[in-house]
């Protein structure tokens, strides 16, 4: 499974490193996480607020953020084609312009977006774009569903001839 991961997922993981969001984000066995390069700027911009909220030094939060980024794929905004950018802008502009890169990458690569941004989800759902998103519950289910066990084929043991 591949998902485009919104900035607020990282805020949540940094605010609650032992929480469910952080656990899902750290599990890279079954999910590949993609993030727009814009996310790096957005986290940097809000680091002081996050430091106040968590009562952690900015330096520590930055180190934790860098750890979360390990083995993620960072997508360059330069790779968004004009058509997808314009469409993303048109459908997202009235909700939150900061989310345009996430929507543009969804349009470009067709991977769902993992977001906790209620305003964005509600706004795009009202416009008929609910299918752009995946939920934490869906990711949890994907991560923790039991894999079918492989039962070896039955063998018939030939009877011994006496």
């Amino acid at each position: 499974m591949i998902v485009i991961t919104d900035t607020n997922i990282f805020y949540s993981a940094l605010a609650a490193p032992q929480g469910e969001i952080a656990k899902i984000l750290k599990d890279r066995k079954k999910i590949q996480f993609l993030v727009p390069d814009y996310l790096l700027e957005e986290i940097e911009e809000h680091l002081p607020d996050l430091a106040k909220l968590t009562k952690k030094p900015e330096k520590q939060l930055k180190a934790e953020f860098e750890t979360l980024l390990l083995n993620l794929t960072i997508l360059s905004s330069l790779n968004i084609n004009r058509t997808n950018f314009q469409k993303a802008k048109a459908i997202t502009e009235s909700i939150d312009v900061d989310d345009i890169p996430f929507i543009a990458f969804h349009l470009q690569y067709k991977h769902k977006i993992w977001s906790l941004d209620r305003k964005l989800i509600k706004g795009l759902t009202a416009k008929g774009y609910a299918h752009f998103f995946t939920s934490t519950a869906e990711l949890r289910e994907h991560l923790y569903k039991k894999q079918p066990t492989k039962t070896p084929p039955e063998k018939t043991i030939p009877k011994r001839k006496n």
Side-chain angles (χ1 to χ4, degrees):
M1 176 177 231
I2 302 171
V3 295
I4 298 165
T5 311
D6 198 352
T7 308
N8 52 58
I9 297 297
F10 288 87
Y11 293 149
S12 178
L14 290 169
Q18 302 307 314
E20 180 179 31
I21 301 295
K23 287 177 184 173
I24 292 171
L25 192 56
K26 291 173 188 173
D27 190 329
R28 309 286 164 73
K29 293 176 189 159
K30 294 184 182 179
I31 302 174
Q32 180 183 354
F33 299 97
L34 309 178
V35 296
D37 53 4
Y38 171 72
L39 174 132
L40 305 175
E41 293 173 36
E42 211 172 9
I43 292 286
E44 189 72 35
E45 178 185 330
H46 295 285
L47 218 47
D49 298 328
L50 200 52
K52 285 179 190 173
L53 175 74
T54 61
K55 297 179 177 35
K56 292 180 184 177
E58 285 184 41
K59 190 175 182 177
Q60 180 183 348
L61 285 171
K62 192 168 184 145
E64 290 174 9
F65 175 59
E66 288 171 1
T67 300
L68 288 173
L69 288 176
L70 292 175
N71 301 317
L72 291 182
T73 303
I74 299 173
L75 304 169
S76 171
S77 296
L78 297 173
N79 292 332
I80 300 172
N81 72 41
R82 182 179 296 273
T83 304
N84 288 330
F85 181 81
Q86 292 302 328
K87 185 172 182 182
K89 184 177 177 186
I91 64 178
T92 311
E93 197 168 38
S94 64
I95 301 164
D96 188 348
V97 295
D98 288 339
D99 290 313
I100 292 172
F102 300 95
I103 303 307
F105 278 119
H106 166 77
L107 295 170
Q108 184 121 349
Y109 298 116
K110 309 297 184 229
H111 299 302
K112 291 191 175 197
I113 301 167
W114 181 26
S115 179
L116 300 174
D117 185 337
R118 289 187 180 113
K119 180 182 172 188
L120 176 66
I121 295 167
K122 185 177 179 182
L124 289 184
T125 298
K127 292 181 176 192
Y129 299 107
H131 62 281
F132 282 17
F133 299 97
T134 189
S135 68
T136 300
E138 288 172 318
L139 294 177
R140 181 185 332 109
E141 185 179 308
H142 182 78
L143 281 177
Y144 302 117
K145 71 178 173 186
K146 290 187 176 184
Q147 298 297 319
T149 55
K150 293 183 180 177
T151 309
E154 286 187 33
K155 290 185 179 179
T156 307
I157 301 172
K159 291 186 177 180
R160 269 177 123 176
K161 291 183 181 177
N162 290 350

